[in-house]
Amino acid sequence: MTQNRVLAIRARLIAAFAPTELEVIDESHKHKGHPGARDGRGHFRVRIVSPRFAGRKPIERHRMVYAALRPLLKTDIHALSVHATASEAEHLNYRVGSMKAFRLLSSIVAAGLFVGCSQDSDQQAGDPVNLFGPGEVAVVDGERIPESIFRLYTLTGYQVNADYLTPEGRREFIDEVVLLRVLADEAERQGLHEERRIAADLELQRLQLLARTMTQRFAEENPPTESELRDLYEANLSRLAATEYKVRHILVETEAEAADLIEQLDQGADFAALAREHSTDTSTAPDGGDLGWSSADGWVDPFAEAVRNATSGAFVATPVETQFGWHVILVEEKAEQVAPGLASVRQDLEAAVRNQKLEAYVTGLRDAAEVTIVSD
């Protein structure tokens, strides 16, 4: 199921935007048990780079992505995080700009990631020196700021490897960490860490960090096997080799409007022109209602069924109703999709197998735990 969803999302985004870069990450395992996800839909993160976003505001880009994935929102997607840029250079500039604009805020937020972060093999619980490793970048009121915390700060807060900092840049980051230490020490002197809200916030951060680290450690120690990859690939062959359709549509509010448009098409009207003038789907109307290429599984029924039964190069003779409204549909072309080789989808298969294993592991831990839900 997970792999099917990732493939479906990728297929629709590729058809809609012809991206130069596309990353679809299934983060459903991080939200297991979330009330909104109990109906079986998942949480996904999308990073997409496409020239088609050029000149568009961020909110417009998000709407374009949501429109392309609209058929999946009711059936497969519960939550979607989107980062859409027109070029890789813009993506990098965005990160640098954000880094400068929110430097101090990011510093304070990143401080929550410090406690308990170290994977050195010679750690000794109870000995702060060994816990954080040797070396320090500063000493504040007799308390050392370890080199390991400084490195984690630059990496998690700013995606900067401390090895590549100039002397001036290193000093600037050290000053920020010193500021964090001074503020945190003063907060403890005033007893802020004993206030209920702050104590709860710290405990939640601890739980989230340990849980995230545990899932990462499990994934590292349980990589996908070749047999698992092959089994998942073969289970999805029929979907990967499905017929794809090049479709346009016009979305209107009433059946009467759709019927009138079909009558105009019967009289020789141009479909794309009608879509630009009448369609309420603002994401596709400027392109003449173009939905791009997709398998029928990417659309809701009865839209999908109408597409399957349509004649290539012709519009559907009757209006089609879905939860979005009434559709006039044109199937421009059909093409039999040849299933890609395992090697070409290996990365997606590996991600899917890792998620399946992790889901089983988390479910096993939950089932083994003695849990009592205390209701009001």
Side-chain angles (χ1 to χ4, degrees), residues 18-39:
T20 56
E21 289 194 32
L22 175 61
E23 185 178 24
V24 179
I25 302 173
D26 185 352
E27 297 185 334
S28 302
H29 62 279
K30 297 181 181 179
H31 305 271
K32 187 174 178 60
H34 187 281
R38 288 174 184 165
D39 60 359

Side-chain angles (χ1 to χ4, degrees), residues 184-363:
D185 288 348
E186 181 60 24
E188 289 191 346
R189 275 192 287 271
Q190 294 188 24
L192 269 62
H193 61 299
E194 296 177 347
E195 294 180 6
R196 179 180 298 176
R197 184 189 64 80
I198 296 176
D201 193 2
L202 290 171
E203 175 63 7
L204 178 59
Q205 290 185 49
R206 185 187 72 85
L207 293 174
Q208 290 174 328
L209 174 60
L210 289 174
R212 182 169 62 250
T213 304
M214 187 66 253
T215 59
Q216 293 170 347
R217 190 70 55 84
F218 175 84
E220 292 169 359
E221 296 175 352
N222 297 272
T225 66
E226 288 300 320
S227 61
E228 289 170 335
L229 295 176
R230 172 61 62 180
D231 288 346
L232 183 59
Y233 174 73
E234 293 179 351
N236 285 277
L237 268 179
S238 60
R239 182 184 180 89
L240 293 171
T243 301
E244 290 200 340
Y245 304 86
K246 177 71 165 60
V247 176
R248 292 180 185 269
H249 85 135
I250 304 172
L251 179 65
V252 292
E253 294 182 358
T254 67
E255 183 178 12
E257 291 177 274
D260 179 66
L261 291 171
I262 290 175
E263 183 176 343
Q264 293 183 52
L265 291 171
D266 281 330
Q267 296 172 2
D270 180 71
F271 192 99
L274 290 179
R276 283 189 286 269
E277 181 179 354
H278 297 283
S279 182
T280 61
D281 183 352
T282 57
S283 65
T284 63
D287 296 323
D290 189 7
L291 289 172
W293 285 93
S294 177
S295 66
D297 291 338
W299 295 302
V300 297
D301 282 326
F303 190 103
E305 188 63 24
V307 169
R308 291 190 188 97
N309 295 331
T311 301
S312 181
F315 58 87
V316 177
T318 58
V320 176
E321 184 183 19
T322 71
Q323 63 264 45
F324 305 110
W326 289 88
H327 303 261
V328 179
I329 302 171
L330 168 63
V331 178
E332 294 184 305
E333 298 180 62
K334 296 183 181 181
E336 293 298 326
Q337 179 72 15
V338 177
L342 188 151
S344 63
V345 293
R346 186 181 185 87
Q347 185 176 359
D348 289 334
L349 293 172
E350 288 177 345
V353 171
R354 281 195 296 269
N355 284 334
Q356 288 175 354
K357 286 186 170 185
L358 182 58
E359 182 176 355
Y361 173 66
V362 172
T363 299

